[in-house]
Amino acid sequence: MNKKPTRREYADPGPQSARIVRGFRRLTALAGAAAITASLVLVSVTPAAADTAPLNPADPATPETVSADALPTVQIDGVVWQQVAVGNTVYVAGEFTKARPAGAAPGTNTVTRNNILAYNLTTGELISSFAPSLNAQAKAITASPDGTRIYVGGTFTQVNGVNAYRIAALNPTTGELINSFKPAPNSKVSAIAATNTTVYFGGVFSSVGSTSRSRLASVNASDGKLTSWAPTANGAVTAMAMSPDQSRIAVGGAFTTLNNSGNPGYGLGQVSAANGALLPFAVNSVVRDAGSAGAITSLTAGDDVVYGSGYDYGGGANFEGSFAAKWDGGAIKWLEDCHGDTYGVAPLDGAVYTAGHAHMCTNIGGFPEVTPRRFQRGLAFSEEATQKITRERGSYVNFEGKPAPSLQTWFPDIEAGSYTGKTQGPWTVATAPGYVLMGGEFPKVNGKPQQGLVRFATKDRAPNRLGPQDASSESLPTVKDTGKGGATVTWKTNMDQDNQNLTYRVIRDGNIAAPVHTVTEASTFWQRPSLTFTDTGLSSGAHTYRIFVTDPFGNELATNAVSVNVTGGGQVNTAPIAAFTATTAGLTVNVNGSGSTDPGGSIAGYAWDLGDGSTATGATASRTYAAPGTYTVSLTVTDNGGAANTLRRAVTVGSPTVPPPPAGTLARDTFARTVSGGWGTADAGGRWTVVGTAGNYSVGSGAGSMLVNAGGSAVAQLNSVSATDARTSFSVVVDKKPNGGGLKVLGIGRRIAGAGEYRGGVSITSAGAVNFSLTKVLGSAESSLKSASVPGLALAPGEQLNVLVRVSGVSPTTVEAKAWKAGTAEPSGWQVTATDSSAGLQAAGGVGIYSYLSGTATVGPILLSIRSFSAQ
């Protein structure tokens, strides 16, 4: 018996804890745990695809691409049990009667929505045209794969005033009841999985119509008539998920047998979608959640795995957390046994998101238990297993040695609600391209009113307003006099809800423009190491120090100034600040450094290095170069105290004549021009469109340059090109080796605006190894078509890699690639090939370049130089 007398899983610490826990245990005993159903369904119309960036075992965290900054979303007055996204619409099932806009106080500006609603994925606004009415709560919601129907299940008996018992099919646009579909189970429906022809559902019913069915059944989508599919469960079914090939259905709940088997079948199992026969499911030998004190709460389909979550509260159950298991056979991919029950799990872009109330994750290297308990109601984990679970030190079941993911830095603050009386926040999590969606009974998110529904977006579309959190006196620096004209500054690192790496600037005597020390350090809310810096060469007397901490998006927090009296010092000489302008005409550059300054004195000398071996002195200089190109010009200024400072800038001169491209060329660019703030117009193919900050792009010296920051992408597109068959070639040089999860550089072989694109190229690991990556993008979600290593091929900074990608044909489309170092022979054949027939991508499209640097990289930004681009 897994007895844990000190736990209070269903209440925050407080005088009402015992009453709430007793009430919950009584409720689950009566309802077989069906009351906590929070299963999740993803529809294949809008798959949430995994990030294809390689995972570096030495740096296991996957890119943290989702912001913890909550986006305004329609609110409800009750509880949300489940959501599903279809295209740009999110359908919501729960127990509520009113909806109101984001920001509206409870009871104000409301409209009627009885237990079901829909909202716009990208704006969060209520969709007024979809307003069906259910006369009781909805527990489950999904869509047909073709998106033409919404299926909803629960305890209701009427839809829009018409009898429809506990499961119904709705028009996804109008919400009208589809009268040909009325299966009529005799009790609650808590889970639904659907193909275009068959609807599978589970709950606590014992019959459908007049035919016996023990908590699992399927019906024809066309007429709602019962099929012969009839697996049996002896307790509540709370979750179902269908494999991508529609051959298997994973089933979860509080049952202790499935088809009369207890292993698999103890709260978790897998059956054939064709005949309901039990299939092997090895994870059930480890995860044993069933009966009156445990259950599987959600199941979500991934490409090759099924994700699940569960809870336990004493004897008869053993696991709380989430897991990933192979569809074929159920082998465990990973477990995360963070203590605190989990109700929903969903993958997106290389991470897996959960909803629950975790309060300890030390077994996988995460946050510890504290008193009073701190509940993290939304968590994220790496999609891949990166470590092993360590030994359990408390009274919980020991899963030591099992594969585990890594906890990510994503910690939204979701407040517990009171609607269900169970003191919970989110009950479900879903994902859609670019978004993580949570639903439940929470009243606030990140301290701001936001009831029942909330969206979180990937950082490329989020406002990213959340910065360092701790503004308390705990973050003030401690400054001590060294007695030798110096001061030692010590401070505690800060914490951020969605960024682990923060940058700290030490400011002396209020001189914000000239930090005396800058350092980037990783920290989390439970691991905040102290940093120390010793400042030397100070004058005797009073000095002040402040710490400015900044996240990667520029959100900044500064401490108050702390004073110290320095002894044994002399007069401080503050270094000068170099600055210069450069103007070009033909092959000549004129530079002017008279804008350089010295805060504590005067500029005594100017020394120029003009980038071609020539030098000059004085505040101004001029140079006529022998050939067009980009030259690095540097100015070193020295002040009257001997301190110096250097500034370097790239200067491009000349514009040689470009010959016309050969016949049959779709696009070509030799980059033989000078452009800043973009890439200008290609030699053939039209004007380049760049994505993101224009200042990260420039052209000069025969290369198109793009800066790619950690966790971000850089993209250049030729949208005026349109072809179904394109051989896209380019050469790339990087200025430094990536670390973390590596760097991707892909050619866009077919881009269809508003639909997606095919990409092919290489990923470069932290060791410099080159791997192939062929991907597709649907909407904004990238998924892998194929990846492969390139034996013996490695790339060092400054070395040129040639890449050739071909995208050809329709239904199917073939994507192929090859890569080789400059100076070596081009491979005779394609080195990696994949095919795909995704609807929406089987048409002509444009070409371009896409790059992405892992969010765990600390060397960014990386400068990419793209040379000799062409598409034929």
Side-chain angles (χ1 to χ4, degrees), residues 237-257:
V237 170
T238 60
M240 299 172 72
M242 177 171 285
S243 63
D245 65 1
Q246 299 183 350
S247 68
R248 304 163 181 265
I249 296 179
V251 181
F255 50 84
T256 58
T257 63

Side-chain angles (χ1 to χ4, degrees), residues 166-221:
R166 301 169 192 92
I167 186 168
L170 306 177
N171 181 298
T173 302
T174 65
E176 292 179 358
L177 180 67
I178 298 174
N179 285 298
S180 61
F181 182 88
K182 291 188 176 181
N186 69 343
S187 192
K188 177 167 55 179
V189 171
S190 300
I192 308 174
T195 71
N196 288 330
T197 59
T198 307
V199 181
Y200 303 82
F201 55 96
V204 296
F205 52 84
S206 59
S207 65
V208 178
S210 60
T211 305
S212 176
R213 285 292 186 269
S214 182
R215 301 174 179 86
L216 287 162
S218 77
V219 295
N220 296 325

Side-chain angles (χ1 to χ4, degrees), residues 667-699:
R668 188 189 71 167
D669 205 343
T670 59
F671 300 105
R673 59 187 178 277
T674 301
V675 180
S676 60
W679 275 11
T681 301
D683 304 339
R687 186 169 183 82
W688 288 97
T689 298
V690 297
V691 178
T693 304
N696 290 340
Y697 302 85
S698 63
V699 176

Side-chain angles (χ1 to χ4, degrees), residues 104-128:
T108 66
N109 201 15
T110 63
V111 295
T112 298
R113 285 296 186 275
N114 288 318
N115 306 305
I116 187 170
L117 61 78
Y119 67 84
N120 184 291
L121 173 66
T122 55
T123 67
E125 295 174 349
L126 183 72
I127 295 176
S128 59

Side-chain angles (χ1 to χ4, degrees), residues 214-216 230-235 237 251 255-271 276-279 284 288:
S214 182
R215 301 174 179 86
L216 287 162
T232 62
N234 71 344
V237 170
V251 181
F255 50 84
T256 58
T257 63
L258 183 63
N259 285 354
N260 298 313
S261 171
N263 191 2
Y266 192 83
L268 181 63
Q270 188 177 188
V271 296
L278 195 67
L279 301 174
N284 193 226
R288 309 284 290 170

Side-chain angles (χ1 to χ4, degrees), residues 183-583:
N186 69 343
S187 192
K188 177 167 55 179
V189 171
S190 300
I192 308 174
T195 71
N196 288 330
T197 59
T198 307
V199 181
Y200 303 82
F201 55 96
V204 296
F205 52 84
S206 59
S207 65
V208 178
S210 60
T211 305
S212 176
R213 285 292 186 269
S214 182
R215 301 174 179 86
L216 287 162
S218 77
V219 295
N220 296 325
S222 59
D223 57 14
K225 290 184 178 179
L226 201 63
T227 73
S228 61
W229 190 81
T232 62
N234 71 344
V237 170
T238 60
M240 299 172 72
M242 177 171 285
S243 63
D245 65 1
Q246 299 183 350
S247 68
R248 304 163 181 265
I249 296 179
V251 181
F255 50 84
T256 58
T257 63
L258 183 63
N259 285 354
N260 298 313
S261 171
N263 191 2
Y266 192 83
L268 181 63
Q270 188 177 188
V271 296
S272 166
N275 58 27
L278 195 67
L279 301 174
F281 210 46
V283 63
N284 193 226
S285 295
V286 177
V287 175
R288 309 284 290 170
D289 285 351
S292 62
I296 297 300
T297 53
S298 76
L299 293 167
T300 302
D303 289 338
D304 61 345
V305 298
V306 57
Y307 299 96
S309 63
Y311 88 97
D312 78 278
Y313 196 77
N318 72 345
F319 180 75
E320 50 187 22
S322 61
F323 62 85
K326 295 290 186 180
W327 276 114
D328 188 4
I332 292 173
K333 181 177 181 180
W334 53 252
L335 305 175
E336 59 85 6
D337 67 337
C338 289
H339 300 329
D341 304 333
T342 303
Y343 310 117
V345 55
L348 177 69
D349 293 347
V352 178
Y353 297 83
T354 64
H357 62 253
H359 52 80
M360 183 173 75
C361 286
T362 51
N363 292 346
I364 61 168
F367 50 87
E369 183 83 81
V370 295
T371 302
R373 276 183 173 168
R374 173 172 178 157
F375 293 98
Q376 297 298 325
R377 296 185 168 88
L379 292 177
F381 302 89
S382 61
E383 191 176 55
E384 300 299 324
T386 60
Q387 58 181 322
K388 302 289 186 182
I389 295 177
T390 61
R391 176 167 297 184
E392 171 60 47
R393 301 296 181 182
S395 58
Y396 299 81
V397 172
N398 181 26
F399 293 100
E400 180 182 9
K402 300 297 182 185
S406 297
L407 184 64
Q408 305 294 284
T409 306
W410 188 75
F411 302 110
D413 181 11
I414 306 176
E415 188 172 297
S418 59
Y419 183 82
T420 66
K422 302 182 186 75
T423 321
Q424 297 306 309
W427 287 98
T428 180
V429 59
T431 55
Y435 294 90
V436 172
L437 314 171
M438 283 195 166
E441 58 182 296
F442 46 84
K444 292 182 179 180
V445 180
N446 296 332
K448 296 181 179 179
Q450 182 63 53
Q451 188 174 0
L453 288 165
V454 68
R455 299 170 301 139
F456 302 95
T458 51
K459 291 181 178 178
D460 60 347
R461 66 184 73 198
N464 299 303
R465 298 163 299 191
L466 297 179
Q469 297 291 300
D470 189 1
S472 71
S473 59
E474 189 176 4
S475 294
L476 282 173
T478 300
V479 187
K480 296 182 179 179
D481 174 31
T482 66
K484 300 178 181 179
T488 298
V489 185
T490 302
W491 69 98
K492 188 176 184 179
T493 51
N494 216 289
M495 56 185 175
D496 191 290
Q497 289 175 262
D498 51 12
N499 292 289
Q500 188 174 21
N501 295 309
L502 303 177
T503 298
Y504 301 85
R505 292 180 296 141
V506 180
I507 303 300
R508 183 216 300 145
D509 296 335
N511 190 0
I512 297 175
V516 294
H517 180 63
T518 301
V519 63
T520 299
E521 182 70 22
S523 61
T524 61
F525 71 82
W526 72 95
Q527 290 181 329
R528 297 175 58 187
S530 292
L531 301 176
T532 298
F533 164 69
T534 300
D535 200 9
T536 59
L538 303 176
S539 61
S540 295
H543 293 276
T544 62
Y545 291 88
R546 299 177 70 189
I547 307 299
F548 283 66
V549 54
T550 310
D551 74 2
F553 294 91
N555 297 299
E556 186 172 81
L557 190 65
T559 69
N560 292 329
V562 175
S563 299
V564 64
N565 186 46
V566 173
T567 60
Q571 182 64 37
V572 171
N573 179 28
T574 303
I577 301 172
F580 70 88
T581 60
T583 57

